[in-house]
Amino acid sequence: NLELLIDFGSPGLIEVGGWKNISKRLAETHKCLVVERSSPNNVYNLEKRYLEVLGDQVEYCHTLEGMLEVMPKGVSKFKTIQKLAEMLRINMDEIMTFGDGNNDIEMLAGAGLGITPENGSELAKANANLTVASSDENGPAVFLDRLLNELHLE
């Protein structure tokens, strides 16, 4: 199931394999990504089980269908950006974020300008301020290039 993620260029992935191996690796893990693309309902059933056992001790997010992220409570892209902005004394209204998945929703909605590509998830697009061309067409890069060129001219 990792082929999809490897195609997206996700670095640092460590395949755990069978469920019996997970408990041995938890101490070195900052995020658990469950990938079951062939039977997505298994992921929803697993999330229900996690909720029964772990409740709200962790954060859950469905990145794509058949993909569930499980992270420590309070860990998210948005909270990380908030912390960095606080450290640098930057107002969240001055921050631009790019995201394309459901795990980006909080970040897109919380920044001054949240941008998603046309091929982003429907929830990402609904929470973004702006939709640019598809990432297959380098939409975010083209947007930034045009923006920086316009700023340079002024």
Side-chain angles (χ1 to χ4, degrees):
N1 283 303
L2 290 180
E3 295 85 20
L4 173 72
L5 299 170
I6 292 168
D7 289 346
F8 278 128
S10 298
L13 294 176
I14 300 170
E15 185 170 7
V16 175
W19 289 107
K20 63 184 176 188
N21 300 326
I22 290 177
S23 62
K24 300 174 194 169
R25 310 288 303 263
L26 284 178
E28 64 191 79
T29 304
H30 67 276
K31 174 171 76 172
C32 178
L33 178 61
V34 178
V35 182
E36 181 54 74
R37 302 283 293 172
S38 59
S39 302
N41 281 337
N42 288 343
V43 175
Y44 292 107
N45 292 334
L46 180 62
E47 181 183 18
K48 288 177 191 172
R49 181 70 177 129
Y50 279 167
L51 285 166
E52 290 171 12
V53 174
L54 300 172
D56 65 354
Q57 296 177 46
V58 295
E59 303 282 346
Y60 307 94
C61 179
H62 289 272
T63 311
L64 298 169
E65 185 179 22
M67 295 175 65
L68 175 67
E69 291 184 24
V70 184
M71 297 154 294
K73 190 70 176 173
V75 172
S76 72
K77 292 178 183 182
F78 178 68
K79 288 182 176 69
T80 302
I81 291 169
Q82 273 185 316
K83 183 72 172 171
L84 184 58
E86 190 178 297
M87 290 169 53
L88 297 172
R89 295 186 176 105
I90 299 171
N91 188 319
M92 287 300 294
D93 291 342
E94 300 175 86
I95 294 177
M96 176 186 342
T97 60
F98 290 84
D100 63 354
N102 294 350
N103 60 332
D104 299 320
I105 292 168
E106 183 185 30
M107 175 186 71
L108 290 166
L113 181 61
I115 303 169
T116 192
E118 183 58 43
N119 62 331
S121 76
E122 291 305 314
L123 284 173
K125 289 191 277 189
N127 283 277
N129 304 98
L130 179 66
T131 299
V132 296
S134 165
S135 56
D136 295 333
E137 301 167 4
N138 298 317
V142 170
F143 172 82
L144 277 176
D145 189 51
R146 286 182 183 156
L147 178 66
L148 293 173
N149 282 332
E150 286 179 24
L151 291 174
H152 183 68
L153 294 174
E154 293 179 10

